[in-house]
Amino acid sequence: MAQATLSPSSRSTIRRGKDRARTDRAELHEVLDAALICHLGVLVDGAPRVLPTGYGRLGDTLYLHGSTGARSLREAADGEVCVSVTLVDGVVYARSAFHFSVNYRSAVIHGRPRPVTDADEKWEALRVLTEHLAPGSWDHVRQPSRRDLAATSVLALDLGEAAVKIRSGSPRDEPEDVAAAAAWAGVLPLRRSWGEPEPSDDLPDTVETPVHVTNRKQP
Amino acid sequence: MAQATLSPSSRSTIRRGKDRARTDRAELHEVLDAALICHLGVLVDGAPRVLPTGYGRLGDTLYLHGSTGARSLREAADGEVCVSVTLVDGVVYARSAFHFSVNYRSAVIHGRPRPVTDADEKWEALRVLTEHLAPGSWDHVRQPSRRDLAATSVLALDLGEAAVKIRSGSPRDEPEDVAAAAAWAGVLPLRRSWGEPEPSDDLPDTVETPVHVTNRKQP
């Protein structure tokens, strides 16, 4: 079932910057697992709408969720969507304004999501969504009540139609600009890191910060 | 001309999580100035497409650019777009899976972009785009040649129709979960910082790393 490669469709075939295109499905998974949120594009009243939201991945299925009252999720359940996940790894300083760029890892997924109605799959999807946002939390916290479940919509998006682009390394400058050596060129890396956990004011001192929070793997 | 407040239209009026909605135009500017990239949503063959891209802001105009050959930019120039800018500030750990959240700053802009054809405005837009990505660089590097300009399309998007949402602080848990004190609750902040500049391999030792790179304001 799982394909080893990407880009089976015209719109998920990368045309611009082909040298940045990746075709290994493992790289899609890596990008999705490394980022925290996605940008979900849906069609509302004939115009695109792009909203940041959480997600979780299980194999080649991406799960999205939201309030049953959220219009964007209702629209998403009723047509084509596009999910974009981007990690910015640095700013690429070139010798010419034209060649400035960004080092990044990007995944773009197209598809028609399926509303998740089966109770077991919905439960598993919510586990995956929670564990994506906060690994180790599902077994630590109170799991969804019947009321929580009723208030939450879950969508499943197949990862079949996806494109991955990764840019890394130095600027690609014009030879004459390199020769002129009139400007600095290189990369300023952008790092992400977790700060110190900040317990809620209303948390009793007796509740220690758990290891899955204090030792969370750096993003 | 500049409005002091946001949300003049139905679709830029926030309905979900109203307590997170901001209406001060200065907060829109702050979110846009703090982030590096946006996610641009366009309509392609009747389906939404969401792509990460750079931008720059001048007053209440957002500038986007890309290769003249890029289809997404051609489509953007020909209809409604949505630009979404998101900064993730931390993960909100709640006592129940249902209340997990993210601290973030988000701007969503709707509009119909205008192709920038005036030479002076295009030049200024490219300056703004470059300075957004890499402050201090425009005067340091080779500015666009005639050929660079011909290869670049620029779009202007008015910031008139925009929504800003900001979430900060602790989780909002159910009173019974707070009382149970059975799980940790709080925020794990996500920090961004610049790493050490990495000069290009082909950069002569005589070119020192300039101050606008070494002393870049933390993101």
Side-chain angles (χ1 to χ4, degrees):
Chain A
M1 186 217 90
Q3 297 161 302
T5 57
L6 299 172
S7 300
S9 85
S10 164
R11 64 183 172 183
S12 63
T13 298
I14 291 167
R15 288 183 184 76
R16 312 288 320 164
K18 280 181 198 158
D19 53 323
R20 301 177 189 172
R22 304 302 173 100
T23 54
D24 188 341
R25 187 152 285 272
E27 293 192 274
L28 171 65
H29 295 170
E30 277 173 30
V31 171
L32 294 178
D33 295 350
L36 266 183
I37 64 154
C38 67
H39 283 81
L40 168 66
V42 298
L43 205 58
V44 179
D45 297 334
R49 184 167 297 187
V50 181
L51 296 169
T53 189
Y55 65 91
R57 182 182 73 82
L58 190 64
D60 275 307
T61 301
L62 195 82
Y63 287 110
L64 303 164
H65 74 323
S67 161
T68 46
R71 181 163 182 198
S72 55
L73 217 69
R74 285 203 309 273
E75 301 282 350
D78 199 39
E80 289 280 338
V81 307
C82 180
V83 169
S84 193
V85 171
T86 310
L87 292 143
V88 175
D89 293 325
V91 173
V92 180
Y93 287 72
R95 283 99 166 166
S96 69
F98 184 72
H99 284 294
F100 271 67
S101 188
V102 167
N103 281 341
Y104 64 89
R105 289 164 284 160
S106 157
V108 176
I109 302 138
H110 295 273
R112 192 174 277 268
R114 164 177 64 79
V116 175
T117 51
D118 175 81
D120 290 343
E121 187 185 7
K122 188 169 179 179
W123 187 264
E124 185 64 1
L126 293 174
R127 185 188 68 77
V128 164
L129 278 148
T130 304
E131 286 290 302
H132 181 84
L133 185 61
S137 290
W138 183 258
D139 288 330
H140 178 74
V141 301
R142 176 176 67 70
Q143 294 174 3
S145 65
R146 195 174 288 217
R147 196 173 119 195
D148 294 345
L149 289 167
T152 309
S153 295
V154 175
L155 298 178
L157 180 64
D158 190 90
L159 294 177
E161 197 182 348
V164 174
K165 274 176 107 167
I166 297 177
R167 194 208 185 280
S168 60
S170 296
R172 332 282 191 241
D173 274 306
E174 305 297 330
E176 57 269 30
D177 292 324
V178 176
W184 188 78
V187 173
L188 190 61
L190 183 61
R191 313 272 188 224
R192 278 171 295 276
S193 61
W194 300 114
E196 284 298 306
E198 299 168 352
S200 294
D201 287 342
D202 56 3
L203 191 76
D205 293 342
T206 49
V207 181
E208 282 184 28
T209 314
V211 173
H212 69 267
V213 177
T214 53
N215 286 3
R216 180 164 183 171
K217 197 180 141 223
Q218 287 302 325
Chain B
M1 187 221 95
Q3 297 161 302
T5 58
L6 299 172
S7 299
S9 85
S10 164
R11 64 183 173 183
S12 63
T13 299
I14 291 168
R15 287 181 183 79
R16 313 288 320 164
K18 279 181 199 159
D19 54 323
R20 301 177 190 172
R22 304 301 172 100
T23 53
D24 188 342
R25 187 152 285 273
E27 293 192 274
L28 171 65
H29 294 171
E30 277 173 29
V31 171
L32 295 177
D33 295 350
L36 266 183
I37 64 153
C38 67
H39 283 81
L40 168 67
V42 299
L43 204 58
V44 178
D45 298 334
R49 186 168 296 189
V50 181
L51 296 169
T53 189
Y55 65 90
R57 183 182 73 83
L58 190 64
D60 275 307
T61 301
L62 195 82
Y63 288 109
L64 303 164
H65 74 323
S67 162
T68 47
R71 180 162 182 198
S72 54
L73 216 70
R74 285 203 308 275
E75 301 282 350
D78 200 39
E80 290 279 339
V81 306
C82 179
V83 169
S84 193
V85 171
T86 311
L87 292 143
V88 176
D89 293 325
V91 173
V92 180
Y93 287 72
R95 283 101 166 165
S96 69
F98 185 72
H99 283 294
F100 271 66
S101 189
V102 166
N103 280 341
Y104 64 89
R105 290 164 283 161
S106 156
V108 176
I109 303 140
H110 295 274
R112 192 173 277 269
R114 165 177 63 80
V116 174
T117 51
D118 176 80
D120 290 343
E121 187 185 8
K122 188 171 179 179
W123 187 264
E124 185 64 1
L126 293 174
R127 186 188 67 77
V128 164
L129 277 149
T130 304
E131 286 290 302
H132 180 86
L133 186 61
S137 290
W138 182 258
D139 288 331
H140 178 74
V141 301
R142 177 176 67 70
Q143 294 173 4
S145 65
R146 196 175 287 217
R147 196 172 119 194
D148 295 345
L149 289 168
T152 309
S153 295
V154 176
L155 298 178
L157 181 64
D158 189 90
L159 294 177
E161 196 182 349
V164 174
K165 276 176 105 168
I166 296 177
R167 192 207 186 282
S168 60
S170 297
R172 332 281 191 242
D173 274 307
E174 304 298 330
E176 57 269 29
D177 292 324
V178 176
W184 188 78
V187 173
L188 189 62
L190 183 61
R191 312 270 189 227
R192 279 171 295 275
S193 60
W194 300 115
E196 285 297 307
E198 299 168 353
S200 294
D201 287 342
D202 56 3
L203 190 75
D205 293 342
T206 48
V207 182
E208 283 183 27
T209 313
V211 172
H212 68 268
V213 176
T214 53
N215 286 2
R216 180 164 185 172
K217 197 181 144 220
Q218 287 302 326

